[in-house]
Amino acid sequence: MTYLRPSLRFFVLGALLFLTACGGAPDNGKTLKIGDQLHALKSSLDVSGEGRPTDYTIEWANFVGGPPIIAAQTGGSLDVGWMAETPLIFAQAAGSPVKVVAVSKTVEGGGSPYALVVKPDSPIRSIADLKGKSVSFMKGTVLHYFVARLLDKQGLSLKDIKTVQATGFGTGLLDKGSADAITIGEPYLTQALDAGKVRVLASGAPPNTPGFFYLVASDAALADPAKAKAIGDLVARAARATRWQRENPAKAAPALAKRYNVDAAIAEKIITRAPASYAPISDAIIAAHQDEADLFFKEGLIRKRLDASQIFDKRYDDIVAAQEVAK
């Protein structure tokens, strides 16, 4: 099976999505334009009281997946994006002018907001059983890496399965028999589990994926002193908001319930399933990102081996560290 490199395709998609996501208002120099996914970052900031900076304004745009956010950043329409780590592999390979400026990761012993699932009565009982089967995931995202890593640990590769491009977020492909296994994220994961519709074959929790989410800034924004200062403030707010949500799941649940259109009990389960914290960009984080890049190179999805350290900018590490020890 031939796998198309996703970078150009996602860049085109990203440009189209961005045109519909926001109106392209001119930047007055005091605006930070942020690409979000399912309003996740915005709602986290808002519910924790961190969503109203005083020295600048935030212009939000909502996307599906990290690749189109990077496309919009590359085109100059966004300053910052929020995403899992995998799109940065393809961004670096394509020479996109972006850097990771802050990292949140699953706390030790925590779970994951996504999983690889099958029907409860499926004969598939292990990753090895996926050989020759159809597996659905969104290419170019962390779910792509999730499946590739699970297979690699069993001595298999993406060539050993039939890949199915995800067309939505729920269990539709599984329900219709269009895929034997699917990757699924929140809130659909918790809803499907509570309804008894799926069985988890593998969780996305470490070590199956590193459990990272990144704040990614464009090189142009980082080169602008005013925007770079605003990004530092945003990093602090995101770190505090993530800590507050982790420490106050019951208080955070109503806002998440509203965002996902679920009841508060499910929302609280989603929060407690995958608690996270921001951390300085350590050698261990860079090494995990390097392992991911190396696997995509091994699979032939990028043309050359990357130096993962070049995609990180550590200038805000002290700001991140301060938020976890603050009273």
Side-chain angles (χ1 to χ4, degrees), residues 85 106 110-111 145-146 149-150 153 203-211 288 291:
E85 77 280 354
T106 303
Y145 175 60
F146 178 33
R149 181 167 171 80
L150 290 172
K153 289 164 68 176
S203 166
N208 290 335
T209 70
D291 286 346

Side-chain angles (χ1 to χ4, degrees), residues 252-299:
L256 189 69
K258 182 177 180 181
R259 184 178 99 214
Y260 283 151
N261 194 27
V262 299
D263 64 45
I266 288 180
E268 189 168 351
K269 283 185 181 181
I270 292 170
I271 293 170
T272 57
R273 185 187 299 280
S277 65
Y278 275 76
I281 299 168
S282 65
D283 290 344
I285 287 173
I286 295 173
H289 191 93
Q290 185 69 60
D291 286 346
E292 186 163 341
D294 289 347
L295 179 56
F296 277 116
F297 176 63
K298 177 182 175 181
E299 290 278 359

Side-chain angles (χ1 to χ4, degrees), residues 47 244-255 264 267-268 271-272:
V47 72
W244 183 88
Q245 185 167 287
R246 184 182 74 243
E247 294 176 348
N248 300 276
K251 293 180 181 179
E268 189 168 351
I271 293 170
T272 57

